[in-house]
Amino acid sequence: MIIKVSRIVIAAFLALTALAGAGYAAEKAFDFTLTDLNGTPHRLSDFQGKVVLVNFWASWCRECVIEMPSLNGFYAANKNKGIVVLGITIDRKIENVLDALRKTPVSYPVLLDSRGDVFVKKYTVLGLPTTIIIDREGNIQDRFIGRVDFSDKSLTEKIQSLLKGRNDR
Amino acid sequence: MRFTAAFILVVCTILAASGCGPSTFIVSKEGRAFYFGRESNSIDRILCKTGDLEQILAETNMPDELKKDFYLYSCTAQRSREKIISFYQFLTPDEREDLKRAFRRYDYVINYVPC
């Protein structure tokens, strides 16, 4: 009798777990269009099929500027492998952005969000710097608040797995 | 629900020191403190319905759009703790100082405790 009840309980548990798993839905990344420093518009959804790292930063944010060479190195090593990096600055004055980029040059596109349409209204970013990793289907896989070491092995492995279309989450 | 400013500050400090809970953004006046963006009759009565927040924002140098957003996330049906924290993160250091000074002129103190 006890064994029978145990089996029913275990079966119910497994069924509920399967149902919960089936109901899991990844958070879809909000689409946005922002212009870069040359006025060229960039739309997030244009990069569907690629892994996208969206990095929010500001020239006044020391940690952001310290982080940028690491992100730039990551971009240089992976840009031909289906990885896109978009730097989004929330600076109001473009001269501050240009000054920061003169001191810390990056080769990935830097987009301007001086009204906070993406930072506050769409992504409600809670700290600087913040990096959001979006998979090839346009789902948010990770959010990192604070400085990230983009040469970290576990992070690069995670991104590589997203490139291969695996979601280890 | 009422909290004293001191109590909330102590809790926030402990959270920040202990390596964290959520970031907190509070406004206090006359020893009472309230969370920005929280649905609360008290903050609504003191900060919003008196017109204080509108006057405070009018005295800042923030662009009009940002003033509107701050009011929207603090005093309307769209109030949101996350949005108001995100908004504060969005402000430049100069804009934050300017905002703090404007609040101080109306005997309010604002405190942001990051995590």
Side-chain angles (χ1 to χ4, degrees):
Chain A
M1 180 68 180
I2 292 171
I3 293 171
K4 207 172 182 181
V5 171
S6 303
R7 280 182 183 160
I8 292 169
V9 169
I10 291 167
F13 174 76
L14 291 173
L16 283 172
T17 309
L19 278 174
Y24 171 78
E27 187 188 349
K28 198 83 185 159
F30 287 106
D31 197 17
F32 60 80
T33 302
L34 291 172
T35 56
D36 64 20
L37 300 169
N38 301 314
T40 307
H42 294 255
R43 192 171 66 173
L44 179 67
S45 55
D46 287 344
F47 301 111
Q48 189 123 4
K50 296 188 174 190
V51 174
V52 183
L53 275 71
V54 178
N55 176 254
F56 290 95
W57 69 283
S59 65
W60 69 81
C61 162
R62 195 169 165 268
E63 291 291 300
C64 304
V65 178
I66 292 172
E67 180 191 56
M68 280 159 63
S70 162
L71 180 57
N72 195 46
F74 175 83
Y75 175 66
N78 293 286
K79 64 181 174 185
N80 296 324
K81 298 177 187 168
I83 290 176
V84 172
V85 172
L86 299 174
I88 298 183
T89 176
I90 58 171
D91 278 81
R92 317 287 186 272
K93 294 177 182 167
I94 196 162
E95 55 266 32
N96 292 343
V97 180
L98 294 172
D99 189 42
L101 292 174
R102 257 193 300 274
K103 291 171 188 157
T104 312
V106 296
S107 50
Y108 51 83
V110 172
L111 316 181
L112 304 167
D113 184 27
S114 52
R115 292 182 351 172
D117 290 337
V118 177
F119 187 91
V120 180
K121 290 175 188 164
K122 291 195 169 174
Y123 284 86
T124 315
V125 175
L126 300 175
L128 279 175
T130 283
T131 301
I132 296 174
I133 299 178
I134 301 166
D135 68 18
R136 301 197 311 173
E137 284 76 43
N139 299 313
I140 293 176
Q141 288 296 335
D142 260 314
R143 266 180 194 247
F144 298 102
I145 302 177
R147 178 155 47 113
V148 172
D149 174 6
F150 290 95
S151 62
D152 179 79
K153 200 178 164 208
S154 62
L155 178 66
T156 50
E157 280 174 0
K158 163 91 184 174
I159 293 170
Q160 291 303 327
S161 75
L162 292 176
L163 266 180
K164 289 172 189 160
R166 290 202 310 268
N167 180 357
D168 296 335
R169 198 169 180 173
Chain B
M1 219 170 166
R2 290 182 181 185
F3 292 98
T4 66
F7 174 74
I8 290 180
L9 279 174
V10 167
V11 170
C12 294
T13 308
I14 290 169
L15 283 172
S18 64
C20 257
S23 299
T24 310
F25 190 23
I26 58 173
V27 55
S28 56
K29 185 176 187 177
E30 294 162 0
R32 296 173 68 195
F34 312 94
Y35 290 101
F36 268 117
R38 189 179 202 178
E39 199 165 331
S40 145
N41 288 336
S42 305
I43 193 169
D44 204 41
R45 197 175 55 245
I46 293 168
L47 193 62
C48 305
K49 286 189 175 153
T50 55
D52 279 3
L53 185 57
E54 278 170 305
Q55 288 185 49
I56 289 165
L57 292 172
E59 289 191 16
T60 68
N61 295 315
M62 281 194 290
D64 285 346
E65 245 182 48
L66 295 187
K67 291 176 187 175
K68 265 188 223 162
D69 286 346
F70 195 100
Y71 190 84
L72 186 77
Y73 301 137
S74 302
C75 288
T76 72
Q78 289 185 57
R79 64 170 65 83
S80 156
R81 280 178 69 180
E82 283 76 26
K83 287 269 194 256
I84 206 78
I85 287 173
S86 182
F87 179 89
Y88 193 71
Q89 287 294 316
F90 180 74
L91 298 180
T92 66
D94 288 346
E95 286 167 344
R96 287 182 198 182
E97 269 313 303
D98 181 38
L99 186 67
K100 280 182 188 173
R101 276 197 301 270
F103 268 100
R104 238 177 268 137
R105 283 195 288 275
Y106 286 80
D107 299 323
Y108 291 91
V109 176
I110 58 172
N111 275 293
Y112 174 71
V113 183
C115 183

